[in-house]
């Protein structure tokens, strides 16, 4: 073997080790979206909670968005709750809207002022009713997690889907029935204003509300003696 061939092999080997090292670094620093359930055994007719969580692996993140997909033929989405979420400012609250999304999808997008780092960052909970037996898969999709680095850099995201069997033999339970929210939302202030560039120059009221219990479903506002309307 010539000296040139040996040198070439050493260079190629070093290049391979360098690529491998970078690859390992990316995996080690990847944030993770995962799910948590109280009972892994699900029977037809059961209503159960699937919590959505983020693990940052030492990184500080300040924005998370994505979709959660599920088999709409096996699972019926009953309710979504986001109280105590690390996402304190929602761009899009988690919701399933058949007019804008496909069946079996929940889209969400939110911010973490000041950033978050931790192992079990709670985002929100999905309550499903199991309607048919079969293998169900709840998984994150189209996700983006941005770092609080002043540049909004995207981090690598590891997906950890929840896969489980729905059986007829398992006793049906209702995890939704045992939950009650008796704590009112946090106090908040209203800002009344008018700007010719928005809402056709009409008066508007703006506010940001949070709830540490199950989250805010909606607020209603009323102008004078007119009927109450949901705030948007």
């Amino acid at each position: 073997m010539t000296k040139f061939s040996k040198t070439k092999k050493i260079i190629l080997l070093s290049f391979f080790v360098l690529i491998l090292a970078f690859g390992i670094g990316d995996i080690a620093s990847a944030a993770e979206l995962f799910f948590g359930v109280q009972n892994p055994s699900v029977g037809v007719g059961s209503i159960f909670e699937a919590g959505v969580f983020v693990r940052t692996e030492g990184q500080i993140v300040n924005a998370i968005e994505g979709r959660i997909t599920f088999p709409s033929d096996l699972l019926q989405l009953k309710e979504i709750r986001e109280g105590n979420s690390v996402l304190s400012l929602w761009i899009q609250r988690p919701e399933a809207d058949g007019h804008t999304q496909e069946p079996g999808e929940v889209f969400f997008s939110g911010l973490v002022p000041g950033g978050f780092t931790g192992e079990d960052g709670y985002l929100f909970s999905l309550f499903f009713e199991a309607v048919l037996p079969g293998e169900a898969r709840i998984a994150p999709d189209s996700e983006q997690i941005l770092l609080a680095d002043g540049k909004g850099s995207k981090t690598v995201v590891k997906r950890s889907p929840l896969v489980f069997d729905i059986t007829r033999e398992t006793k049906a339970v209702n995890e939704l029935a045992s939950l009650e929210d008796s704590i009112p939302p946090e106090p908040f202030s209203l800002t009344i204003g008018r700007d010719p560039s928005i809402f056709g120059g009409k008066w508007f009221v703006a506010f940001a509300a949070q709830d540490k219990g199950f989250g805010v479903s909606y607020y209603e506002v009323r102008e004078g003696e007119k009927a109450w309307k949901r705030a948007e």
Side-chain angles (χ1 to χ4, degrees):
M1 182 181 294
T2 65
K3 182 177 181 181
F4 175 76
S5 298
K6 290 182 179 179
T7 303
K8 184 177 179 181
K9 285 189 176 182
I10 292 173
I11 292 174
L12 288 175
L13 180 60
S14 300
F15 183 65
F16 174 75
V17 171
L18 184 63
I19 291 177
L20 182 60
F22 273 116
I24 293 174
D26 287 342
I27 294 173
S29 62
E32 180 183 5
L33 286 177
F34 64 100
F35 301 89
V37 293
Q38 295 182 7
N39 190 349
S41 300
V42 177
V44 172
S46 293
I47 298 178
F48 65 96
E49 177 184 4
V52 185
F53 296 85
V54 63
R55 180 177 292 124
T56 67
E57 296 295 351
Q59 303 173 103
I60 303 176
V61 304
N62 62 6
I64 305 174
E65 75 168 21
R67 292 185 304 162
I68 304 299
T69 62
F70 61 92
S72 57
D73 57 333
L74 303 181
L75 300 174
Q76 181 182 357
L77 182 61
K78 305 293 289 185
E79 191 170 322
I80 303 175
R81 293 178 177 175
E82 79 278 350
N84 279 329
S85 174
V86 299
L87 298 174
S88 56
L89 290 178
W90 291 102
I91 299 173
Q92 173 64 66
R93 292 183 181 277
E95 64 177 23
D97 185 348
H99 297 291
T100 59
Q101 299 172 86
E102 295 295 326
E105 293 183 355
V106 174
F107 177 77
F108 69 96
S109 179
L111 304 175
V112 189
F116 169 79
T117 181
E119 293 298 306
D120 299 300
Y122 174 71
L123 302 182
F124 54 91
S125 288
L126 304 171
F127 288 85
F128 294 102
E129 180 178 0
V131 294
L132 287 175
E135 184 181 81
R137 185 177 190 271
I138 304 174
D141 186 40
S142 304
E143 66 285 324
Q144 288 192 73
I145 299 181
L146 305 185
L147 300 175
D149 59 357
K151 299 179 291 184
S153 304
K154 296 180 182 179
T155 185
V156 179
V157 182
K158 176 185 176 182
R159 299 173 180 173
S160 296
L162 174 65
V163 182
F164 57 96
D165 290 323
I166 303 172
T167 66
R168 293 191 184 276
E169 291 74 21
T170 305
K171 182 181 177 180
V173 297
N174 187 348
E175 296 180 4
L176 189 59
S178 60
L179 299 177
E180 295 182 0
D181 185 6
S182 58
I183 303 175
E186 298 294 303
F188 62 92
S189 58
L190 302 175
T191 300
I192 300 176
R194 183 170 63 178
D195 190 309
S197 63
I198 58 176
F199 304 125
K202 297 179 180 180
W203 287 95
F204 64 87
V205 58
F207 62 91
Q210 299 182 30
D211 179 55
K212 294 183 178 180
F214 294 160
V216 177
S217 177
Y218 64 89
Y219 277 97
E220 292 186 341
V221 297
R222 184 173 71 173
E223 183 180 357
E225 297 300 321
K226 296 181 180 180
W228 289 94
K229 293 184 178 180
R230 288 196 181 191
E232 297 181 355

